[in-house]
């Protein structure tokens, strides 16, 4: 049985902080799931850390559905949240319903995430009324980088901070079960966290949120093009992999790999018969 949105909500009531992570493939999903992480996001960050785009904007619904299926196959317990990509929910609540429906039916996710506040409240209400749990996402919303003027912290002045508070209330009222707060000042996320009954899930939002989410490739030091200020590398997998690959190349070139240990043996009889009798051409 997977973690339910009710269990996620209750964590806040009990004052239980929790860690969430992204995953995009079977192997990572298995590791994250086995670490006891209750919520895995198949984030559209996959566009940047897996597919090599310089933003999340080119990610398609097919990409998310495809990777969600892998993450679902690799996990048993975590709640799987699929990220709705750019322009797959903006046109109308009906479009959002169709996109989210694919994430659940084809992808096997239990919930979806979408970016925005009051502007998407009607859509969130429509999805939740149709039985599709929704996680909101406020602050630095990467699908709007062109509107925001880049990957910048949000909510630093009174007007924008008030706007974010209002957006958070609107998402809660519309039925969201949790809200990601990305790159907002710590004290603002503390205020939002105190005023909501649903969990806030911070990333670059300081220590006062009910939960923390990170991009798994940053956390494990796998994506090394750049390390966001809010990330901490708990391992250096890219360095470890580079070392291992150099050793592989050296061993192959020097004839140290493969050895008999990695080879399929041929019985003495067969070998003798071939050597004595010829055959083949
Ligand atoms: O796409 C993603 O990975 C996200 C997280 C940063 C919350 O939206």
């Amino acid at each position: 049985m997977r973690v339910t949105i009710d269990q996620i909500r209750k964590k806040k009531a009990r004052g239980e902080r929790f860690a969430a992570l992204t995953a995009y493939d079977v192997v990572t999903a298995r590791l994250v799931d086995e670490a006891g992480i209750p919520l895995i996001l198949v984030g559209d960050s996959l566009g940047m850390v897996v597919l090599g785009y310089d933003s999340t904007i080119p990610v398609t619904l097919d990409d998310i559905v495809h990777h969600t299926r892998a993450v679902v196959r690799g996990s048993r317990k975590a709640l799987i949240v699929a990220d709705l990509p750019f322009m797959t929910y903006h046109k109308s609540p009906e479009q959002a319903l169709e996109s989210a429906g694919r994430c659940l039916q084809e992808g096997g996710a239990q919930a979806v995430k979408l970016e925005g506040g009051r502007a998407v409240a009607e859509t969130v209400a429509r999805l939740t009324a149709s039985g599709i749990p929704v996680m909101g996402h406020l602050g630095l919303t990467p699908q709007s980088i062109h509107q925001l003027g880049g990957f910048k912290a949000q909510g630093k002045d009174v007007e924008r901070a008030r706007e974010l508070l209002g957006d958070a209330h609107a998402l809660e009222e519309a039925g969201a079960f949790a809200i990601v707060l990305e790159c907002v000042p710590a004290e603002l996320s503390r205020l939002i966290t105190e005023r909501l009954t649903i969990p806030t899930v911070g990333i670059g939002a300081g220590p006062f949120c009910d939960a923390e989410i990170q991009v798994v490739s940053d956390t494990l030091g796998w994506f090394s093009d750049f390390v966001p200020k809010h990330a901490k590398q708990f391992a250096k997998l890219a360095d470890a992999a580079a070392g291992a690959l150099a050793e592989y190349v050296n061993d192959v070139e020097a004839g140290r790999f493969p050895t008999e240990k990695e080879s399929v043996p041929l019985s003495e009889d067969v070998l003798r018969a071939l050597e004595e009798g010829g055959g083949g051409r």
Side-chain angles (χ1 to χ4, degrees):
M1 174 75 184
R2 287 187 185 269
V3 171
T4 62
I5 58 159
D6 221 41
Q7 288 169 320
I8 295 289
R9 276 205 209 97
K10 282 186 181 144
K11 283 181 186 293
K12 174 158 184 148
R14 293 198 193 107
E16 250 176 57
R17 266 174 73 74
F18 63 94
L21 268 180
T22 65
Y24 318 100
D25 61 76
V26 168
V27 175
T28 316
R30 190 171 297 138
L31 286 165
V32 173
D33 197 52
E34 285 173 2
I37 288 177
L39 186 155
I40 300 179
L41 171 68
V42 186
D44 62 357
S45 50
L46 85 89
M48 298 176 79
V49 299
V50 175
L51 302 177
Y53 300 130
D54 60 7
S55 80
T56 60
I57 289 172
V59 174
T60 65
L61 190 57
D62 284 343
D63 291 333
I64 290 289
V65 168
H66 179 71
H67 286 269
T68 299
R69 282 152 85 158
V71 168
V72 168
R73 283 194 294 269
S75 59
R76 288 186 308 117
K77 290 184 252 154
L79 177 82
I80 308 299
V81 182
D83 216 357
L84 290 181
F86 183 61
M87 279 302 135
T88 66
Y89 57 94
H90 301 79
K91 291 180 194 158
S92 64
E94 283 64 40
Q95 186 208 18
L97 211 47
E98 250 175 58
S99 304
R102 281 196 61 198
C103 291
L104 269 65
Q105 279 194 311
E106 294 174 42
Q110 287 80 56
V112 296
K113 175 171 85 57
L114 49 75
E115 297 182 5
R118 276 165 280 215
V120 295
E122 189 193 340
T123 295
V124 172
R126 185 67 188 279
L127 292 176
T128 53
S130 308
I132 302 178
V134 179
M135 180 153 91
H137 185 158
L138 292 173
L140 168 51
T141 44
Q143 292 172 12
S144 308
I145 44 158
H146 299 308
Q147 179 70 24
L148 299 176
F151 291 96
K152 290 182 187 160
Q154 300 295 309
K156 295 204 311 196
D157 59 56
V158 179
E159 195 187 339
R160 182 77 178 113
R162 282 212 179 108
E163 207 179 299
L164 286 173
L165 268 163
D167 282 341
H169 282 295
L171 289 176
E172 174 166 75
E173 274 157 31
F177 74 91
I179 301 178
V180 170
L181 296 178
E182 180 164 355
C183 294
V184 301
E187 288 299 335
L188 175 59
S189 36
R190 183 180 61 75
L191 279 178
I192 297 175
T193 301
E194 283 169 5
R195 290 182 191 183
L196 296 187
T197 59
I198 54 172
T200 55
V201 185
I203 173 166
F208 307 117
C209 292
D210 298 300
E212 176 73 9
I213 188 160
Q214 287 283 326
V215 171
V216 70
S217 331
D218 295 333
T219 305
L220 297 180
W222 184 234
F223 180 74
S224 50
D225 289 12
F226 60 88
V227 184
K229 179 178 170 343
H230 57 70
K232 176 173 168 186
Q233 291 187 333
F234 288 82
K236 296 211 179 284
L237 292 195
D239 291 351
L245 291 176
E247 204 177 315
Y248 166 69
V249 170
N250 282 341
D251 277 12
V252 170
E253 287 176 358
R256 286 189 297 270
F257 177 83
T259 63
E260 255 180 46
K261 203 174 123 219
E262 292 92 14
S263 309
V264 179
L266 191 62
S267 79
E268 289 286 324
D269 295 353
V270 176
L271 183 57
R272 203 170 317 114
L274 289 174
E275 281 173 348
E276 285 169 6
R281 288 190 200 179

